[in-house]
Amino acid sequence: SIFRRHCVVHIHTCSNFSFWRDSLLVLMSRLLLKPVILHVHGGRFDQFLESLSPARRRLACWFIRRATRVLVLTPSWQERLGKICPGARFMVMNNGVEIPPSEPLASFCDLPPITAGEVPPLRLLYMGNLGPRKGAAELIEAIGLTNGGRSSVEAIIGGMETEHGQRDRLQARIDELGLSGRVRLAGSIGGNERLAAFRNCDALVLPSHAEGLPMAILEGMSYGLPIIATRVGGIPETIDDGVDGLLTEPRDIPGLAAAIERLAGDVILRRRMSAAARRKAELHYSLEAIGAQLVELYRSLCKGGRR
């Protein structure tokens, strides 16, 4: 069987039905004496566990403790889940992204000088679904507050509905605020269109209410985009506020607008953050770096870390 042919079983899981299904795979693998890696994803996994009845939570944690290693995305997630399921063998491992080929990043000092008074538009990219948790509605409201500034802000909102009618409601609000020429709902963006969006925009914005470690943020950094995001999940451990991005509180529309205006009005800051974001992605979040960590973990478990 597939279990006999392989040394390590690596299971990716998230909340709700997926977790209970994957728990059975964990148990089956352990009964066959295979080391098991349970890889936790999803920005609300802690809330999922806390929402369970005491009996079901004890059962869920019993399954989690059966895993040889439980991979989480950041140290804060390790601490948070460790309090819910003490005794589980948690280990931090970042998500990884492919680093796109590019010309070597120039220092911001080496780029063409900015003419006095010249402030090119800030082109924002949002990559997430249109559901409330990702903050698309707050982004539209925040862009509305930037009207009248000395710099202009444009945005592409890429993502699909999680419930019918979300797109229509967001478009109606865009029209009501007079932003139809500045904000575009682009739907699902994939393939070459996705690559072009990352290359042609100036910053990535994701004002989420809850997260783990969003792939969109890591992708944006790999393309040298400064990040405007919220202090939730693993984001504050990924983005250095003021260095490679700007952080705000979730649902804080004025704060989000202020962060957008700060980046819109300071091209030198954009350039500094762009270079810093790209460097961090290359050093810490490349597929090569994360792949090497995974291979080392697999080897250690195959050599005797099966308990």
Side-chain angles (χ1 to χ4, degrees):
S1 73
I2 188 171
F3 289 102
R4 293 192 178 93
R5 295 199 306 270
H6 296 83
C7 177
V8 177
V9 179
H10 190 155
I11 301 169
H12 295 266
T13 195
C14 55
S15 304
N16 302 316
F17 172 77
S18 296
F19 171 77
W20 297 113
R21 176 200 60 201
D22 297 334
S23 294
L24 297 178
L25 294 176
V26 170
L27 184 59
M28 185 185 307
S29 302
R30 294 302 277 156
L31 289 173
L32 293 171
L33 303 180
K34 298 294 183 180
V36 176
I37 298 170
L38 186 64
H39 204 150
V40 176
H41 301 275
R44 291 182 169 175
F45 191 74
D46 57 338
Q47 297 175 34
F48 158 67
L49 293 176
E50 290 174 336
S51 70
L52 299 174
S53 68
R56 289 196 173 199
R57 190 183 311 153
R58 285 193 297 270
L59 178 61
C61 289
W62 185 86
F63 279 121
I64 290 171
R65 284 191 287 267
R66 302 285 76 73
T68 317
R69 295 291 184 275
V70 183
L71 298 188
V72 294
L73 298 174
T74 65
S76 65
W77 271 104
Q78 180 176 7
E79 180 180 0
R80 192 175 310 150
L81 295 179
K83 292 178 180 178
I84 301 172
C85 292
R89 286 164 284 197
F90 292 103
M91 176 179 176
V92 176
M93 186 167 292
N94 296 322
N95 282 331
V97 291
E98 183 176 357
I99 305 298
S102 69
E103 297 297 324
L105 281 176
S107 161
F108 73 91
C109 295
D110 299 329
L111 294 170
I114 300 297
T115 304
E118 177 189 2
V119 184
L122 176 69
R123 296 162 296 184
L124 296 173
L125 177 63
Y126 168 102
M127 286 288 194
N129 62 56
L130 302 184
R133 183 171 69 88
K134 291 290 186 178
E138 284 94 335
L139 173 59
I140 292 168
E141 297 295 331
I143 293 174
L145 294 181
T146 67
N147 275 328
R150 72 187 187 91
S151 55
S152 62
V153 177
E154 303 167 1
I156 296 174
I157 296 179
M160 300 296 289
E161 296 179 320
T162 59
E163 294 180 3
H164 180 69
Q166 288 171 343
R167 180 187 176 93
D168 290 342
R169 289 192 293 272
L170 291 176
Q171 186 61 58
R173 187 57 178 157
I174 290 169
D175 297 340
E176 184 180 352
L177 292 172
L179 300 176
S180 57
R182 297 168 56 194
V183 179
R184 177 166 67 93
L185 298 178
S188 179
I189 303 177
N192 291 333
E193 186 181 14
R194 185 180 181 89
L195 301 182
F198 278 107
R199 289 193 178 279
N200 294 330
C201 288
D202 303 303
L204 184 130
V205 58
L206 193 65
S208 302
H209 302 173
E211 285 290 358
L213 180 54
M215 291 299 296
I217 284 181
L218 300 184
E219 285 184 275
M221 293 171 67
S222 75
Y223 280 90
L225 298 186
I227 306 298
I228 300 176
T230 42
R231 291 184 179 90
V232 296
I235 294 175
E237 295 163 272
T238 306
I239 303 300
D240 290 324
D241 190 20
V243 177
D244 42 38
L246 298 172
L247 298 179
T248 68
E249 298 302 323
R251 300 181 178 86
D252 180 5
I253 294 172
L256 178 59
I260 291 171
E261 287 191 319
R262 180 180 173 190
L263 206 58
D266 191 337
V267 180
I268 299 300
L269 180 63
R270 293 188 212 174
R271 292 179 174 179
R272 286 184 178 136
M273 288 186 172
S274 172
R278 172 75 183 208
R279 281 195 299 270
K280 182 179 285 186
E282 290 173 338
L283 290 173
H284 301 294
Y285 299 104
S286 70
L287 290 179
E288 290 77 13
I290 304 306
Q293 294 177 39
L294 268 176
V295 168
E296 182 58 33
L297 177 59
Y298 292 157
R299 285 175 176 164
S300 70
L301 294 180
C302 285
K303 289 179 180 178
R306 300 190 180 195
R307 65 184 186 279

